[in-house]
Amino acid sequence: MANDKLIEEIRETFQYDVDCWRENYKEGDEDMRFVVGDSWPAEERKARTDLGRPCLALDELSQYLNQRLNDVRMNKRAIKISPEGSGANDKTAELRSDIIRTIESKGGIQAYIIGYENALQRGIGFWAVSKRYISERSFDQELYVRQIPNARTVYIDPDAKESACADMTHAFIIEDIPKKEFKKRWPRAKSEVDFAEDISEKLSLWFKEKSIQVAEYWKIETKAATLLMYGRKEEPQTVFKEDLAAMGMELGDGGIQTGTGTVPVLRERKSEQRFVRQYITNGVDILEENEWEGRWIPIIPCFGRQYWVDGGGGSKRVVESMIRKARDAQRLHNYIATAKMEAIGQVLKAPYLGYEGQIDGHEDEWRYANKRPLAILLVKPILDATGTAVLPLPQRNQWDPAIQGYEIADESSKRSIQNALGMYNASVGRQDSNVKSGVAIKKLELQSSQGGYHFVDSFDTAIQHTGRILDEMIPHVYDTQREMLIRKPDETAS
């Protein structure tokens, strides 16, 4: 479908989101290099490799990341619905909790964990709530929590401020699709070959060499409306005036006229109707358009640390991973370990001092003397220049590396890593040499737990918002009589 105004809005909004999130995502990419053990700057690594020098990358961060992540794996969260408002009761709330627990058991828990892992590793992670048909032969749909392994594929409203960005007005989930697959799924849509060269360059964010970027564009649309309160004062109901015709009712002088009579209008006020729509687009065409029955965009972010920092051009959101401030300490740790390795290597590679011409004819043996054990090394005791004088044997230049100094510096770098993470030896099962009593160990364990609690709190906030989205959508998706398996809190099924 062609809609030039909407397409232009999508392009401008996407570019705005990419610009706003660029710095945070760039720092997240740098975090991931440390996670996978690649902490050396590319130029320095190449310079060292070209000279045959080592570049050690010792993993000191994973144990702390795993501790935080596995604590959540072992203590799984569960969404619990509480009754609130007119007509709500414990029985219905319990049933909805059981339905949500069933949804979570079908990959939802894993989606939470992946999002939380991204938050720890790169500062932000995501999951989404979606609906799908139960099978290819069914008209019944079900809700599910969608995994988003690559957080770089999501761009949410950078101006959202509420917890879990519940107030976001738009969001993107992008996917690179091979051109052949794109043509198969949307045969009538335009592809890169359909445009002039200047258009393709203008849409460089969307068209790649071998693929086309397709985006889910989620948007909240609003329109002015009049809210009516009608019925009995004891049990009033509300309806938008604009929806009356679709419900077979109309507003008359005496109130709202229904098929059975006239119901008085108790109150009215100006309001707005809120619609959530999903557009699938390649930046040129609207490939699909879908309506979401809920009030919130069903994309849930899970943040690490969040700051609002004024860099001179206004406050900007900064999101940090768990390891952000430990990167320099980890790099120092790797430098010290590499320097120690090179220093130890110099013990065998220390040069011999001898006279010029003394090893002529025996160059091969001496060339490998620092690399492999040899039974004998031969030299010339007399040279033409010395006449009959016998020369002394070549002497090795002694090298005694300062191993103790390196070890002290290495321990200092490890402490710097722990200070940046807010986690200490006790949190990963190691004994501190200067901590002896059980009380002191317990205090360090508690300090480590509290030092990273903001990550868990952010995770819980994101799951809580997921619960609101699922609870709101249940009546719209599970809207037909059906038989389904539900899970109870004790993991039994009924």
Side-chain angles (χ1 to χ4, degrees):
M1 296 179 291
N3 187 326
D4 293 341
K5 185 177 180 180
L6 178 59
I7 288 294
E8 191 64 29
E9 173 194 318
I10 289 173
R11 290 180 192 167
E12 292 177 358
T13 304
F14 184 51
Q15 186 65 61
Y16 173 72
D17 290 357
V18 170
D19 292 341
C20 288
W21 286 105
R22 179 176 285 111
E23 192 62 32
N24 281 314
Y25 280 11
K26 180 182 177 182
E27 290 295 326
D29 292 340
E30 183 70 10
D31 290 335
M32 291 305 299
R33 289 184 57 237
F34 279 78
V35 171
V36 300
D38 182 19
S39 61
W40 288 87
E43 293 182 1
E44 184 166 1
R45 176 181 284 278
K46 184 178 184 304
R48 283 175 167 268
T49 303
D50 291 345
L51 296 174
R53 298 180 65 189
C55 289
L56 297 187
L58 306 185
D59 183 14
E60 193 68 23
L61 299 174
S62 291
Q63 57 184 328
Y64 301 104
L65 285 168
N66 292 337
Q67 184 71 28
R68 289 272 181 253
L69 181 62
N70 291 331
D71 278 347
V72 170
R73 288 184 187 272
M74 294 170 62
N75 300 283
K76 294 181 174 60
R77 271 54 180 169
I79 294 171
K80 180 176 175 58
I81 304 299
S82 301
E84 181 180 326
S86 177
N89 57 68
D90 289 336
K91 185 176 180 181
T92 303
E94 181 182 354
L95 175 61
R96 289 200 178 190
S97 296
D98 292 344
I99 293 174
I100 291 176
R101 194 174 297 107
T102 305
I103 294 169
E104 291 177 325
S105 70
K106 296 180 179 180
I109 297 295
Q110 188 60 27
Y112 300 158
I113 296 297
I114 291 173
Y116 182 59
E117 186 173 21
N118 271 302
L120 292 175
Q121 293 176 345
R122 63 183 309 132
I124 186 171
F126 300 93
W127 58 82
V129 176
S130 298
K131 53 186 178 180
R132 62 189 173 192
Y133 287 102
I134 293 175
S135 73
E136 64 275 7
R137 299 182 64 85
S138 175
F139 288 96
D140 288 336
Q141 289 187 313
E142 66 178 358
L143 292 168
Y144 71 102
V145 183
R146 185 176 12 153
Q147 299 178 10
I148 304 181
N150 183 4
R152 286 290 250 113
T153 62
V154 182
Y155 292 87
I156 61 173
D157 181 1
D159 299 318
K161 303 293 190 300
E162 290 185 8
S163 299
C165 291
D167 58 333
M168 72 174 79
T169 60
H170 69 270
F172 291 90
I173 300 179
I174 61 176
E175 179 185 4
D176 287 336
I177 298 179
K179 292 179 179 178
K180 184 180 294 185
E181 178 65 21
F182 178 86
K183 277 294 188 184
K184 182 179 177 181
R185 289 174 62 177
W186 297 287
R188 298 175 59 189
K190 295 176 182 177
S191 63
E192 186 181 22
V193 296
D194 298 318
F195 306 113
E197 185 175 346
D198 60 329
I199 298 295
S200 296
E201 291 178 359
K202 181 181 178 182
L203 302 179
S204 58
L205 272 176
W206 298 91
F207 297 107
K208 311 296 175 62
E209 183 179 351
K210 296 182 180 180
S211 63
I212 295 176
Q213 187 166 271
V214 174
E216 298 177 36
Y217 176 50
W218 290 86
K219 179 188 178 185
I220 291 179
E221 299 175 351
T222 59
K223 68 177 183 180
T226 301
L227 183 66
L228 304 177
M229 178 185 289
Y230 67 98
R232 295 187 304 163
K233 293 183 179 180
E234 296 80 9
E235 295 181 1
Q237 301 183 54
T238 59
V239 66
F240 285 110
K241 177 181 177 181
E242 291 73 12
D243 291 341
L244 290 175
M247 300 169 64
M249 299 186 293
E250 62 179 9
L251 184 62
D253 294 335
I256 297 176
Q257 297 177 1
T258 66
T260 58
T262 301
V263 182
V265 174
L266 305 176
R267 298 177 64 185
E268 69 174 75
R269 71 174 181 88
K270 296 295 183 183
S271 182
E272 65 178 18
Q273 287 181 298
R274 181 183 176 101
F275 306 94
V276 180
R277 288 196 170 88
Q278 178 204 51
Y279 300 96
I280 308 295
T281 179
N282 63 343
V284 179
D285 289 325
I286 301 298
L287 307 173
E288 297 178 21
E289 181 179 343
N290 304 295
E291 187 169 349
W292 181 261
E293 296 87 349
R295 292 187 298 131
W296 295 287
I297 292 175
I299 299 172
I300 301 93
C302 178
F303 292 104
R305 296 184 184 96
Q306 280 196 87
Y307 306 96
W308 290 89
V309 180
D310 189 349
S315 295
K316 293 183 178 180
R317 187 200 307 265
V318 176
V319 295
E320 282 191 356
S321 68
M322 174 180 162
I323 65 170
R324 181 71 52 83
K325 289 185 171 67
R327 290 190 329 208
D328 287 341
Q330 174 65 51
R331 188 174 280 129
L332 174 62
H333 177 57
N334 290 338
Y335 269 104
I336 293 171
T338 301
K340 181 170 65 175
M341 179 180 178
E342 288 189 297
I344 293 174
Q346 288 297 320
V347 172
L348 294 178
K349 294 177 182 177
Y352 282 86
L353 299 178
Y355 295 98
E356 184 179 0
Q358 198 173 10
I359 63 171
D360 287 350
H362 305 288
E363 291 88 347
D364 289 342
E365 292 92 336
W366 282 90
R367 183 176 295 114
Y368 297 106
N370 283 338
K371 295 184 178 180
R372 63 191 184 195
L374 298 172
I376 187 171
L377 291 172
L378 301 177
V379 297
K380 292 181 178 180
I382 299 174
L383 302 177
D384 293 341
T386 62
T388 59
V390 178
L391 298 173
L393 293 173
Q395 298 294 318
R396 183 188 288 272
N397 184 26
Q398 296 298 322
W399 170 254
D400 186 16
I403 300 299
Q404 186 175 3
Y406 285 117
E407 290 293 339
I408 294 173
D410 199 24
E411 285 300 316
S412 175
S413 69
K414 291 180 181 179
R415 286 290 180 182
S416 296
I417 290 174
Q418 292 179 344
N419 291 337
L421 297 175
M423 298 178 70
Y424 304 94
N425 285 339
S427 64
V428 288
R430 289 205 301 256
Q431 180 71 41
D432 272 295
S433 58
N434 58 341
V435 177
K436 302 298 183 182
S437 71
V439 174
I441 293 174
K442 285 292 184 184
K443 285 184 178 180
L444 283 177
E445 289 177 347
L446 179 61
Q447 186 177 352
S448 297
S449 177
Q450 292 175 341
Y453 186 74
H454 49 283
F455 289 102
V456 177
D457 186 57
S458 177
F459 180 55
D460 290 343
T461 300
I463 292 180
Q464 185 181 39
H465 184 49
T466 307
R468 288 198 294 266
I469 293 174
L470 289 169
D471 179 54
E472 181 188 40
M473 287 296 295
I474 284 175
H476 299 288
V477 177
Y478 300 88
D479 57 347
T480 57
Q481 187 177 26
R482 69 178 73 176
E483 188 175 280
M484 62 179 292
L485 186 74
I486 58 174
R487 292 188 176 275
K488 296 291 184 180
D490 59 359
E491 295 301 320
T492 60
S494 67

